[in-house]
Amino acid sequence: MTMIQEITRAIRSDVVKMGERAAALSGEVHEPVYVWTREDISNAVNNGVDLVADELAGSERDADLMNMVVNAAMTLLENPHYTLDEVIQECYDEDPEEVRSWWSGW
């Protein structure tokens, strides 16, 4: 069993999958392999949104769009082939047409 396989087995599915490059490594690792939990990634992305929103004092439309990007990024971690409509169906109570309408006619 390679070191990557051992790490993956030890941390199980509650940790975000390692990238393809890290997974392709075998034997000794000559560079750091970073592993973040889903919570770590969510916190970083949401903190980035807050930082931008606080610094730029954007509109409600901007905040909604940034939040949709966060929802899409977090959903794509587990479902990388989802479409935007599938992300909307998973993250919002409204249907995709309704959510898309938030950005039309402004």
Side-chain angles (χ1 to χ4, degrees):
M1 183 178 294
T2 68
M3 180 189 300
I4 298 301
Q5 290 170 327
E6 289 178 35
I7 292 170
T8 303
R9 184 183 55 76
I11 59 179
R12 294 181 300 281
S13 63
D14 57 336
V15 176
V16 175
K17 296 175 191 172
M18 288 183 255
E20 288 181 44
R21 173 135 167 55
L25 295 173
S26 61
E28 289 187 40
V29 177
H30 298 285
E31 58 187 81
V33 175
Y34 300 100
V35 178
W36 290 278
T37 65
R38 189 176 200 293
E39 183 179 357
D40 293 335
I41 294 169
S42 178
N43 287 338
V45 173
N46 279 293
N47 289 341
V49 165
D50 292 344
L51 177 71
V52 170
D54 291 347
E55 291 289 325
L56 299 181
S59 67
E60 179 182 353
R61 179 182 182 191
D62 294 340
D64 286 344
L65 187 56
M66 287 189 293
N67 286 324
M68 180 175 279
V69 170
V70 170
N71 288 330
M74 296 308 299
T75 300
L76 292 174
L77 280 173
E78 295 177 7
N79 304 291
H81 302 293
Y82 264 26
T83 64
L84 180 58
D85 285 351
E86 289 170 317
V87 169
I88 292 170
Q89 289 169 344
E90 185 162 315
C91 298
Y92 295 86
D93 293 331
E94 296 83 2
D95 64 38
E97 282 185 29
E98 172 67 23
V99 173
R100 286 174 180 272
S101 76
W102 298 347
W103 288 278
S104 61
W106 278 51

